[in-house]
Amino acid sequence: MKKTAAFVLILAAAFSLYAGSYNDLSFTFGHQSGGIKNADGLNMMYGFNLGLSGRMEMGLWTESMLTPCFFSDNAVGLSFSFALLGPRSTGTSVPGSAINMFVNAGMMFTMHNPHDLFLPTTAYISITPLSIGSSVLGRRERFMEMGAAYNWFENEFTFFFSFLRLDYFITGTWRDYL
């Protein structure tokens, strides 16, 4: 666990060297069906995204079960996203590409393991085929994320889908450049 946390911190520090003024921060929430098995209900994702460079961002999020048992199961995720169609941010008052596509990869921490401890259990990769908005505009909608995850404790592959995620930017918006 300590080695994993140290690796993530070193990786984040290395990417932040290229960050420049891309330090936009957004609050994100929406639908998620990746880290928690819930065939009979609905899960919600909420967290933060931090801009690392013009095309890359890092997310720290939580997925929680909403129905049928309110907040009975949770997963925490760390993700890295790369914009494919253009820069997601220019680091200036000029917005990045307002229509974009993202490739995402990350790790989830859950209690879905034989030790009943909150451990890193699942790695995933996904694609978000449509994203509308940018940090300078202050808002972004991400549609139809699809991906695959692998839980190495349970030796199980799963496919997941997220219909809609909304990002509301706290810093790096047009208000910061007035």
Side-chain angles (χ1 to χ4, degrees):
M1 179 72 175
K2 289 180 184 180
K3 288 181 184 179
T4 304
F7 176 74
V8 169
L9 290 175
I10 289 170
L11 190 64
F15 281 120
S16 68
L17 294 174
Y18 301 104
S21 60
Y22 301 104
N23 56 355
D24 51 75
L25 180 67
S26 68
F27 174 70
T28 182
F29 69 96
H31 171 258
Q32 173 91 356
S33 69
I36 301 172
K37 297 176 190 172
N38 188 3
D40 298 329
L42 183 66
N43 297 344
M44 178 181 174
M45 186 276 283
Y46 49 95
F48 292 95
N49 291 321
L50 174 67
L52 298 177
S53 70
R55 288 187 178 248
M56 191 159 196
E57 67 184 18
M58 178 176 74
L60 180 63
W61 48 267
T62 302
E63 179 182 350
S64 298
M65 183 182 293
L66 292 180
T67 61
C69 301
F70 192 66
F71 280 80
S72 64
D73 197 2
N74 297 293
V76 173
L78 178 68
S79 64
F80 291 93
S81 300
F82 184 79
L84 295 175
L85 299 181
R88 50 163 215 89
S89 173
T90 61
T92 66
S93 62
V94 178
S97 179
I99 297 176
N100 220 325
M101 179 184 297
F102 287 91
V103 171
N104 317 297
M107 182 177 295
M108 289 184 257
F109 297 74
T110 67
M111 293 188 67
H112 298 226
N113 58 67
H115 311 295
D116 283 332
L117 297 172
F118 203 69
L119 297 173
T121 59
T122 307
Y124 75 92
I125 188 164
S126 67
I127 188 163
T128 306
L130 180 61
S131 171
I132 299 173
S134 73
S135 60
V136 172
L137 300 174
R139 198 172 127 185
R140 177 175 63 194
E141 294 89 18
R142 293 183 280 170
F143 299 99
M144 307 293 190
E145 179 180 358
M146 297 167 280
Y150 176 68
N151 184 325
W152 53 82
F153 280 105
E154 297 176 349
N155 195 22
E156 179 179 57
F157 276 100
T158 57
F159 295 98
F160 64 91
F161 175 73
S162 175
F163 179 69
L164 174 67
R165 289 192 189 159
L166 303 172
D167 299 328
Y168 292 99
F169 287 86
I170 301 166
T171 61
T173 67
W174 59 272
R175 294 185 270 324
D176 295 335
Y177 299 106
L178 290 179

